[in-house]
Amino acid sequence: MKLQTHVLLDHHPCYTEAAREDSGRMHLAVAPQCNLGCRYCERVIGAKASLAAGPGTATRLLTPAEAVARVDEVHAKGWLRVVGFAGPGEPLANPATLTTLRLLRETHSDLILCLSTNGLELEATLPELLDAGLDSLTVTINTTHPETAAQLYDWAVIGGDRFVGQSTAPEVLSRQWRGLAAAVRAGLLVKVNSVLIPGITDTDVESVARRAGAIGAHRHNIMPLIPRGRMRDRRAPTHDELEQARTQCERWLPQFRACTQCRADVIVPPLGAKGHIPCGTCG
Ligand code: CLF
């Protein structure tokens, strides 16, 4: 039976910080391809990823069958609550994501199934995600303004065609916001992630919180820029800048403040768990 949204909210460690006491989570790296050229992102896949950190990194890609076996192995520890799909590319640009979701839903009705997307194909894929039993969804939306989006995205693949340059920004934004609204209407637990980039998105995040709150999203997670990719020369926000942005946005949408900017193959036991589970970083 599908869990009600308020129950999911209380037990999901990326919505309610207290849930980290007893809810463990893991990501399945089944999605290498991407459909959006975010200037702040750098995908690192393979052995060199063991030295990297953050979203977009995974030491080993998994097939759907391998992913299910990995979940079985970790679930046997007794603390796994959430299984997420977060790359290292865009989950919705890879058929393996839906295949794995369906396999897991058939075999693990007790797990919260979670997915993080850039939103480009969210509206189109939503019926299949719901049918596959997805519970919670994160959409990364950094702005409400096409002029800002034009500074963030170099290219996009939409409907099988590749678009290059700043003219794609309005369509990218439109798809992200339409996807978010559709996911909320469908009854999913929904969070918006925004990357705080001094000089680019810092003046926009409050408008994101305001619009996402009006749509009915449940949480907002403002993440500091990790200087890399085509933004390797920019600076990350200071702790005070991050806190100021979260405080500004909190009047529109509850803020999540415990994000650890996970790898695509991360395994995170609950705080109270004993023992060591190797993720892609250490084996
Ligand atoms: Fe993974 Fe993301 Fe689901 Fe959490 S992570 S897909 S919502 S289960 Fe969580 Fe990691 Fe931050 Fe994401 S700490 S990067 S917010």
Side-chain angles (χ1 to χ4, degrees):
M1 191 182 73
K2 191 166 173 58
L3 292 172
Q4 292 187 317
T5 303
H6 71 274
V7 178
L8 286 170
L9 192 60
D10 286 347
H11 290 93
H12 197 308
C14 299
Y15 287 73
T16 300
E17 188 172 351
R20 296 196 168 196
E21 290 294 332
D22 50 17
S23 293
R25 67 185 189 278
M26 69 183 295
H27 283 170
L28 298 172
V30 296
Q33 306 303 322
C34 199
N35 56 6
L36 184 61
C38 305
R39 294 173 67 87
Y40 53 78
C41 181
E42 185 171 319
R43 262 178 301 163
V44 186
I45 302 171
K48 57 187 182 297
S50 60
L51 300 173
T57 58
T59 301
R60 195 166 81 80
L61 297 172
L62 301 175
T63 65
E66 289 171 334
V68 173
R70 189 73 170 128
V71 170
D72 291 343
E73 184 187 340
V74 176
H75 200 13
K77 304 286 178 187
W79 45 253
L80 185 63
R81 193 79 175 101
V82 180
V83 175
F85 296 82
E90 159 57 31
L92 300 185
N94 294 265
T97 299
L98 267 167
T99 304
T100 312
L101 262 175
R102 290 186 191 283
L103 287 171
L104 285 176
R105 190 75 299 164
E106 284 169 14
T107 52
H108 293 288
S109 60
D110 57 323
L111 292 174
I112 296 172
L113 299 182
C114 187
L115 185 144
S116 180
T117 176
N118 61 35
L120 265 194
E121 297 300 334
L122 177 53
E123 193 177 30
T125 322
L126 193 58
E128 289 176 280
L129 292 172
L130 295 169
D131 186 59
L134 186 75
D135 296 297
S136 55
L137 181 86
T138 296
V139 193
T140 299
I141 307 181
N142 299 307
T143 181
T144 55
H145 304 301
E147 317 82 64
T148 304
Q151 299 179 66
L152 301 175
Y153 308 116
D154 282 335
W155 54 265
V157 176
I158 298 173
D161 294 321
R162 185 179 172 95
F163 299 87
V164 180
Q166 301 185 341
S167 60
T168 57
E171 178 64 12
V172 170
L173 268 194
S174 169
R175 283 171 168 258
Q176 291 175 332
W177 285 105
R178 290 204 318 266
L180 174 71
V184 170
R185 278 198 305 274
L188 288 172
L189 181 66
V190 178
K191 170 162 62 64
V192 172
N193 279 3
S194 301
V195 182
L196 187 67
I197 307 171
I200 299 182
T201 62
D202 49 357
T203 51
D204 287 34
V205 284
E206 188 172 358
S207 68
V208 172
R210 185 172 185 167
R211 185 165 171 184
I215 286 171
H218 300 92
R219 286 287 184 278
H220 191 200
N221 172 28
I222 301 176
M223 305 184 299
L225 173 74
I226 300 172
R228 61 182 178 171
R230 299 196 63 187
M231 293 201 177
R232 68 175 65 83
D233 296 327
R234 298 195 75 93
R235 71 170 179 88
T238 64
H239 176 272
D240 286 352
E241 288 169 332
L242 187 59
E243 192 45 40
Q244 186 184 9
R246 288 168 171 166
T247 302
Q248 276 173 353
C249 292
E250 201 146 39
R251 59 191 286 234
W252 308 109
L253 190 53
Q255 299 290 302
F256 182 68
R257 287 177 156 83
C259 177
T260 48
Q261 296 182 279
C262 301
R263 295 166 54 95
D265 55 7
V266 77
I267 300 174
V268 187
L271 295 174
K274 293 193 170 61
H276 173 76
I277 302 279
C279 65
T281 309
C282 53

